[in-house]
């Protein structure tokens, strides 16, 4: 499976942005897809995940109510809509996919996309 992330950039605080991640290859092996982020000097952290069917979504507390994860089953693409962005959301965002039902975390991710930078100015 290959994951191609896009959509990062610069935005002012309070603004919005949407990240995309296109999956290709053996996508039938994917159980869940999600996003992680890593800010400078910090460890990579889980942000959000969605089951391949789209029925279940998960969010870390700091983004609940502001971020929305979704998927397009036809395009094998998933998205992270980000609203009310804050400077602390600034990070390199990675898309990821798992092939098991285990909770999505660094150790259970099977495939990583390249990072896309999101910078929120105050």
């Amino acid at each position: 499976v290959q994951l191609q992330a896009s959509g990062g950039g610069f935005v002012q605080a309070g603004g919005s942005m949407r990240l995309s991640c296109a999956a290709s290859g053996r996508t039938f092996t994917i159980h869940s897809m999600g996003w992680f982020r890593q800010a400078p000097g910090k460890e990579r952290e889980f942000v959000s995940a969605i089951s391949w069917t789209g029925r279940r979504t998960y969010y870390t507390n700091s983004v609940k109510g502001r971020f929305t994860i979704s998927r397009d089953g036809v395009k094998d693409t998933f998205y992270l809509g980000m609203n009310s962005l804050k400077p602390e959301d600034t990070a390199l965002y990675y898309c990821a996919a798992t092939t098991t039902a285990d909770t999505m975390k660094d150790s259970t991710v099977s495939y990583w996309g390249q990072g896309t930078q999101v910078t929120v100015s105050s």
Side-chain angles (χ1 to χ4, degrees), residues 67-96:
F67 290 12
T68 302
I69 192 168
S70 60
R71 65 177 289 269
D72 182 328
V74 175
K75 297 180 180 179
D76 283 348
T77 299
F78 59 108
Y79 307 94
L80 185 67
M82 304 181 292
N83 295 320
S84 302
L85 282 161
K86 305 175 181 180
E88 50 264 43
D89 294 317
T90 295
L92 192 59
Y93 284 70
Y94 296 90
C95 57

Side-chain angles (χ1 to χ4, degrees), residues 20-95:
S20 301
C21 185
S24 61
R26 297 168 62 88
T27 58
F28 61 88
T29 65
I30 294 175
H31 180 274
S32 298
M33 301 162 289
W35 295 90
F36 289 72
R37 66 186 180 185
Q38 187 168 22
K42 294 187 177 181
E43 293 187 353
R44 184 161 55 192
E45 65 170 349
F46 169 80
V47 176
S48 181
I50 186 168
S51 60
W52 182 250
T53 61
R55 293 179 190 152
R56 296 187 176 184
T57 58
Y58 308 88
Y59 299 93
T60 191
N61 286 338
S62 62
V63 308
K64 284 181 180 178
R66 300 189 299 121
F67 290 12
T68 302
I69 192 168
S70 60
R71 65 177 289 269
D72 182 328
V74 175
K75 297 180 180 179
D76 283 348
T77 299
F78 59 108
Y79 307 94
L80 185 67
M82 304 181 292
N83 295 320
S84 302
L85 282 161
K86 305 175 181 180
E88 50 264 43
D89 294 317
T90 295
L92 192 59
Y93 284 70
Y94 296 90
C95 57

